[in-house]
Amino acid sequence: MRKFKSILCTASLLPIVWTMPVAANSLTIAIENIEQNEGKIMLQILSGEAEFEGRTEPTARMILRARPGQIRISTSSLPEGHYAVRVMHDINNNDELDTNYVGLPTEPYAFSNNAFGNFGPPRWKDAKFWLSGSVVQKINLIH
């Protein structure tokens, strides 16, 4: 399976000067059905089919401490466009989505639109969504 790189998100404080109101796109991702607090939640925001298929680097990556229940993440730094989200719960902290002997995931994972594929990941067209204005993606982890 595809390996996730461990990149922690950091925030920097920069002075902001506004001369007029700016309409921003807001994406909120609600990761639901987290059953354990072991390991970490690894999330990728993908802005095209090449990123979705792993041919280019993701637009954004986030690594969060796992905790049972729901985790919500919000960003307003993305331009309008098509996006998809890929999430995995790396329970054993090895930066990989572990699989069994036939290639089925043994750790929880999910995609935006709660898309899933048959005998592999879903297709870009099933996981993508249009970001314009305020969008909430509720994503249920598959166990």
Side-chain angles (χ1 to χ4, degrees), residues 32-78:
E32 300 180 342
N33 200 24
I34 302 170
E35 293 181 350
Q36 301 179 42
N37 63 356
E38 290 86 16
K40 57 194 168 205
I41 302 295
M42 301 176 79
L43 177 141
Q44 294 178 335
I45 299 175
L46 311 156
S47 63
E49 195 165 0
E51 290 181 20
F52 188 77
E53 294 175 353
R55 298 189 314 257
T56 59
E57 291 295 310
T59 295
R61 297 176 185 178
M62 297 174 207
I63 298 175
L64 309 155
R65 277 180 89 172
R67 60 183 165 82
Q70 179 191 82
I71 294 176
R72 291 178 70 88
I73 302 150
S74 294
T75 181
S76 58
S77 63
L78 299 170

Side-chain angles (χ1 to χ4, degrees), residues 5-143:
K5 293 180 184 175
S6 294
I7 297 177
L8 296 173
C9 293
T10 58
S12 60
L13 298 175
L14 299 173
I16 298 172
V17 177
W18 288 5
T19 56
M20 56 186 253
V22 177
N25 297 309
S26 170
L27 173 62
T28 299
I29 302 165
I31 304 165
E32 300 180 342
N33 200 24
I34 302 170
E35 293 181 350
Q36 301 179 42
N37 63 356
E38 290 86 16
K40 57 194 168 205
I41 302 295
M42 301 176 79
L43 177 141
Q44 294 178 335
I45 299 175
L46 311 156
S47 63
E49 195 165 0
E51 290 181 20
F52 188 77
E53 294 175 353
R55 298 189 314 257
T56 59
E57 291 295 310
T59 295
R61 297 176 185 178
M62 297 174 207
I63 298 175
L64 309 155
R65 277 180 89 172
R67 60 183 165 82
Q70 179 191 82
I71 294 176
R72 291 178 70 88
I73 302 150
S74 294
T75 181
S76 58
S77 63
L78 299 170
E80 185 175 88
H82 281 109
Y83 293 91
V85 176
R86 177 174 30 229
V87 180
M88 69 171 264
H89 183 173
D90 183 18
I91 295 170
N92 61 2
N93 284 309
N94 68 349
D95 297 332
E96 293 181 356
L97 179 61
D98 295 333
T99 59
N100 64 17
Y101 67 96
V102 293
L104 296 174
T106 58
E107 292 180 302
Y109 67 97
F111 293 87
S112 47
N113 296 333
N114 291 306
F116 62 93
N118 294 321
F119 304 106
R123 296 177 294 183
W124 163 252
K125 70 177 197 133
D126 296 328
K128 75 177 179 177
F129 59 91
W130 181 252
L131 176 63
S132 180
S134 181
V135 173
V136 176
Q137 272 288 319
K138 290 185 179 181
I139 301 174
N140 292 303
L141 287 176
I142 299 169
H143 294 272

